[in-house]
């Protein structure tokens, strides 16, 4: 940078990373103790730095980029009851008052009724007069500016330096940075094909005990406390696999809850994709709805993914009063209060009125059907049209593709799918809008005398050829480093999914 004022020089000397303009993700942060990120989080950081490097060196025309990394839901009208509630507030006089740090009790009452409708129960309640027959009160919940904000607040409260937050691999990679910024550490438990990519409670128990034993050995006599695993992040439905643990998987969820309670590990139950479960008879089941699990479970809800309101950044947390009290303290100290419009939007989306429940069934039946359809367009190209087992859906997808594909000669791709890539049958999404594509068969192939051996080689190939980017395995902590894996979104327009699949096919034909 050029000549700077002395005041700015002071800032630049303190934050050296501000000396260069950064394209792509903002600076991801660092550990305040000066140590390096843990091995697992370093992988995620390296993955995102790769994207930034590609964009800054190769992309001069952002409109031509095929960006399949996005976490945005598809363009779809937001949930009408939430919009109506927002409109009513904007059209009234309630916004002339500053909100309370804990939120509006009117809203908290509605959210309390909602979670109890969904089955939340505290079988070991406190002895306060306002505790209801479910063992809960409005003091068991508060609002946040997104589930990411909630997650950060929770970690600030429960994790000390060197404590461990355990996450699954794969997971939502950006969550991995949050524990490390406060000098805790991230460890991973692999989700394995033999367990249908679901959490295995026995393996979870063994992993927690293994980590705790290593922590005890490493820090014995060095601190006035013994670091330990303090939380397990349970993403249900899972980002990125889209796997769901619902009523049919109650035994697994109960096992997770029992293991964590026994070992003094909080369950952070991330339920933000819950309403995008395709099978409405097996919607993701919150662990706090299981007898005896409430006090050790911290549940995260939000409007971003399922309700079409990602731009609002609205979330709420359900937990033991002790956790909620300190969350409110932190909110007060940092931002005074969460905007009241967030609470009103939550009230519109999460209530127990008959009108809302009717609208909910109508809205999500249509929305989830559309997500399934868009996924099957992608699947038809990747795995072949016959991989769609439902004959009616298969015919509908084929007719749509045939009608909207520009060159009918390209319909041949649907016979066997795109060569050398696949969506594994064990990784079919049951919710959300992400698909995991296996590119491992490309390993060893060449383009322009360059051999594709790593994920870095893979994404550089695609970006050079068609400016395509997707989330690679290391950026979501994929457990098998030998695989070449990509997470792509199908929350794109139907015609765009066809266009992107054809572009991928054309690029792969250049390999030898």
């Amino acid at each position: 940078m050029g000549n700077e004022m002395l005041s700015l020089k002071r800032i630049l000397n303190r934050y050296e990373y501000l000396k260069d303009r950064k394209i792509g993700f903002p600076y991801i942060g660092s550990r305040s103790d000066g140590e390096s990120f843990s091995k697992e989080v370093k992988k995620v950081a390296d993955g995102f730095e790769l994207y930034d490097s590609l964009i800054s060196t190769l992309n001069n025309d952002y409109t031509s980029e095929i960006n399949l990394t996005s976490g945005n839901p598809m363009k779809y009208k937001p949930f009408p009851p939430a919009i109506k509630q927002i409109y009513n507030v904007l059209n009234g006089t309630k916004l002339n008052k500053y909100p309370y740090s804990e939120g509006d009790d009117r809203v908290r009452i509605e959210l309390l009724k909602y979670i109890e409708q969904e089955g939340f129960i505290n079988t070991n309640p406190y002895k306060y007069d306002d505790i209801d027959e479910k063992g809960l009160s409005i003091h068991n919940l508060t609002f946040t500016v997104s589930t990411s904000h909630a997650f950060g607040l929770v970690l600030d409260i429960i994790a000390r330096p060197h404590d461990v937050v355990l996450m699954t691999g794969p997971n939502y990679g950006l969550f991995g940075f949050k524990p490390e910024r406060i000098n805790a550490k991230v460890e991973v438990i692999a989700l394995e094909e033999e367990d249908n990519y679901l959490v295995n409670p026995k393996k979870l128990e063994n992993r927690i005990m293994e980590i705790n034993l290593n922590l005890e050995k490493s820090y014995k006599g060095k601190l006035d406390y013994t670091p330990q695993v303090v939380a397990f992040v349970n993403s249900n439905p899972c980002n990125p696999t889209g796997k769901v643990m619902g009523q049919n998987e109650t035994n697994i969820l109960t096992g997770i809850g029992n293991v964590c309670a026994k070992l003094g590990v909080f369950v952070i139950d991330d339920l933000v994709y819950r309403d995008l479960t395709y099978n409405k008879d097996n919607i993701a089941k919150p662990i706090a709805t299981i007898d005896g699990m409430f006090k050790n479970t911290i549940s995260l809800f939000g409007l971003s993914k399922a309700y079409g309101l990602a731009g609002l950044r609205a979330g709420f947390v359900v937990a033991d009063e002790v956790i909620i009290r300190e969350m409110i303290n932190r909110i007060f100290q940092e931002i005074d209060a969460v905007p009241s419009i967030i609470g009103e939007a939550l009230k519109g989306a999460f209530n127990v009125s008959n009108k809302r429940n009717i609208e909910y069934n109508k809205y999500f039946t249509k929305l989830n059907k559309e997500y399934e359809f868009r996924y099957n367009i992608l699947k038809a190209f990747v795995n072949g049209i016959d991989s769609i087992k439902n004959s009616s859906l298969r015919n509908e997808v084929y007719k749509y593709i045939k009608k909207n594909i520009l060159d009918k000669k390209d319909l041949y791709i649907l016979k066997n799918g795109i060569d050398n890539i696949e969506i594994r049958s064990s990784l079919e999404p049951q919710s959300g809008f992400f698909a995991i594509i296996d590119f491992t068969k490309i390993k060893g192939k060449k383009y322009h005398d360059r051999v594709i051996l790593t994920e870095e080689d893979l994404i550089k190939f695609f970006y050079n050829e068609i400016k395509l980017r997707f989330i690679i395995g290391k950026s979501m902590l994929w457990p098998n480093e030998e695989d070449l894996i990509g997470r792509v979104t199908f929350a794109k327009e139907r015609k765009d999914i066809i266009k992107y699949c054809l572009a991928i096919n054309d690029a792969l034909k250049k390999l030898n």
Side-chain angles (χ1 to χ4, degrees):
M1 300 181 76
N3 295 330
E4 301 294 352
M5 301 292 290
L6 289 174
S7 52
L8 276 175
K9 283 185 178 180
R10 184 171 67 248
I11 299 300
L12 290 169
N13 288 336
R14 187 176 179 186
Y15 307 109
E16 289 192 5
Y17 53 82
L18 295 178
K19 291 179 179 177
D20 296 311
R21 178 178 289 169
K22 196 174 190 319
I23 299 174
F25 276 101
Y27 177 55
I28 59 175
S30 61
R31 295 176 62 95
S32 60
D33 60 10
E35 295 183 12
S36 299
F37 284 135
S38 66
K39 181 181 73 172
E40 301 295 349
V41 174
K42 183 68 165 57
K43 291 179 189 175
V44 180
D46 289 345
F48 283 105
E49 285 296 326
L50 174 62
Y51 298 135
D52 290 342
S53 174
L54 286 171
I55 295 168
S56 60
T57 58
L58 298 175
N59 194 8
N60 297 315
D61 180 7
Y62 291 93
T63 61
S64 68
E65 187 179 68
I66 304 175
N67 182 1
L68 300 185
T69 67
S70 174
N72 294 328
M74 69 180 173
K75 293 179 182 178
Y76 198 83
K77 185 178 179 181
F79 188 53
I83 296 302
K84 183 177 180 180
Q85 186 65 23
I86 292 171
Y87 175 80
N88 289 341
V89 173
L90 291 175
N91 205 38
T93 59
K94 293 180 181 177
L95 292 180
N96 71 308
K97 295 181 179 179
Y98 286 107
Y100 295 112
S101 299
E102 65 271 25
D104 190 326
D105 283 355
R106 294 180 308 103
V107 178
R108 297 169 88 193
I109 288 170
E110 294 302 320
L111 297 185
L112 176 64
K113 292 175 183 176
Y114 168 79
I115 64 167
E116 291 183 344
Q117 170 187 271
E118 298 303 295
F120 277 61
I121 186 169
N122 181 6
T123 54
N124 185 24
Y126 294 112
K127 306 294 185 184
Y128 293 110
D129 292 339
D130 60 353
I131 301 296
D132 64 19
E133 68 278 3
K134 298 287 187 179
L136 302 170
S137 77
I138 62 171
H139 302 288
N140 286 117
L141 56 89
T142 194
F143 323 139
T144 58
V145 187
S146 78
T147 52
S148 294
H149 176 222
F151 184 60
L153 285 175
V154 167
L155 293 177
D156 275 341
I157 295 166
I158 67 175
R160 304 159 296 185
H162 312 294
D163 279 337
V164 166
V165 176
L166 184 60
M167 300 181 177
T168 60
N171 67 24
Y172 173 49
L174 290 179
F175 263 14
F177 297 112
K178 291 182 178 291
E180 303 250 343
R181 292 184 190 122
I182 59 172
N183 300 332
K185 185 180 179 185
V186 168
E187 292 281 359
V188 169
I189 176 170
L191 299 180
E192 298 178 301
E193 192 161 17
E194 66 184 24
D195 299 316
N196 200 27
Y197 291 101
L198 299 176
V199 179
N200 181 313
K202 184 59 181 176
K203 292 178 182 178
L204 176 64
E205 180 176 20
N206 291 340
R207 184 77 177 111
I208 293 171
M209 293 174 67
E210 174 193 23
I211 294 169
N212 281 343
L213 183 60
N214 289 336
L215 289 169
E216 186 176 6
K217 291 179 180 177
S218 298
Y219 291 97
K220 188 175 183 179
K222 297 180 180 179
L223 302 169
D224 59 0
Y225 62 92
T226 302
Q228 65 185 84
V229 179
V230 293
F232 169 63
V233 181
N234 185 55
S235 176
N236 185 25
C238 178
N239 175 0
T241 66
K243 304 290 278 190
V244 172
M245 290 183 285
Q247 186 63 35
N248 297 342
E249 290 74 34
T250 298
N251 286 344
I252 296 176
L253 294 167
T254 302
I256 293 170
N258 283 333
V259 164
C260 289
K262 180 175 72 173
L263 297 176
V265 176
F266 283 108
V267 177
I268 300 178
D269 213 13
D270 182 0
L271 301 158
V272 72
Y273 287 92
R274 180 173 186 249
D275 296 293
L276 293 184
T277 303
Y278 305 154
N279 179 2
K280 64 181 180 180
D281 295 324
N282 197 46
I283 188 169
K285 182 181 178 69
I287 288 180
T289 65
I290 300 171
D291 285 1
M293 302 299 172
F294 180 85
K295 292 179 76 67
N296 197 54
T297 305
I298 302 167
S299 305
L300 310 182
F301 289 88
L303 293 178
S304 294
K305 302 302 184 183
Y307 291 82
L309 288 164
L312 191 61
R313 308 298 287 160
F316 74 99
V317 182
V318 183
D320 183 85
E321 274 196 42
V322 171
I323 301 296
I324 299 299
R325 287 173 202 158
E326 184 59 13
M327 288 192 73
I328 293 169
N329 291 339
R330 302 294 177 100
I331 289 168
F332 173 69
Q333 293 160 16
E334 292 177 8
I335 60 173
D336 188 47
V338 171
S340 55
I341 197 71
I342 283 178
E344 296 294 340
L346 292 167
K347 176 185 175 184
F350 300 106
N351 64 71
V352 298
S353 70
N354 188 51
K355 189 173 182 180
R356 177 267 178 192
N357 288 337
I358 291 172
E359 186 66 42
Y360 175 91
N361 290 328
K362 175 183 170 184
Y363 182 86
F364 283 102
T365 296
K366 186 176 180 181
L367 177 62
N368 286 328
K369 184 178 180 181
E370 180 60 26
Y371 272 126
E372 278 197 278
F373 191 87
R374 296 188 187 195
Y375 166 65
N376 278 285
I377 293 175
L378 173 69
K379 183 181 175 183
F381 277 100
V382 175
N383 284 9
I385 193 71
D386 289 339
S387 65
I388 303 174
K389 300 308 178 186
N390 182 303
S391 59
S392 176
L393 177 60
R394 181 170 65 245
N395 291 336
E396 189 180 352
V397 169
Y398 182 79
K399 287 179 182 178
Y400 181 83
I401 294 173
K402 184 177 181 181
K403 180 180 178 181
N404 290 280
I405 201 167
L406 294 178
D407 188 343
K408 300 298 187 278
K409 292 179 182 178
D410 287 330
L411 285 170
Y412 82 91
I413 301 170
L414 300 180
K415 183 176 181 181
N416 297 309
I418 299 173
D419 288 343
N420 296 311
I421 68 174
E422 67 172 331
I423 297 170
R424 298 178 189 175
S425 60
S426 55
L427 281 169
E428 293 250 26
Q430 299 166 326
S431 67
F433 42 85
F434 299 128
I436 304 294
I437 297 182
D438 188 347
F439 294 94
T440 307
K441 290 179 182 178
I442 294 173
K443 247 186 180 182
K445 294 187 178 293
K446 294 182 180 180
Y447 73 104
H448 303 316
D449 295 324
R450 300 174 190 168
V451 182
I452 296 178
L453 295 174
T454 66
E455 290 180 328
E456 288 84 350
D457 298 330
L458 178 71
I459 202 68
K460 286 177 182 177
F461 159 69
F462 275 119
Y463 206 85
N464 274 291
E465 292 298 322
I466 56 174
K467 287 189 178 176
L468 166 70
R469 59 186 172 112
F470 45 80
I471 299 295
I472 54 177
K474 69 164 53 180
S475 294
M476 55 184 176
L477 294 178
W478 187 259
N480 187 352
E481 294 183 3
E482 297 302 310
D483 292 340
L484 297 184
I485 293 293
R487 189 205 79 179
V488 302
T489 177
F490 50 89
K492 299 289 185 179
E493 297 301 317
R494 290 180 175 190
K495 292 180 182 179
D496 286 338
I497 296 172
I498 294 174
K499 182 172 68 175
Y500 300 155
C501 287
L502 293 175
I504 291 170
N505 184 66
D506 288 343
L508 290 175
K509 286 194 293 187
K510 297 178 181 179
L511 295 174
N512 55 63

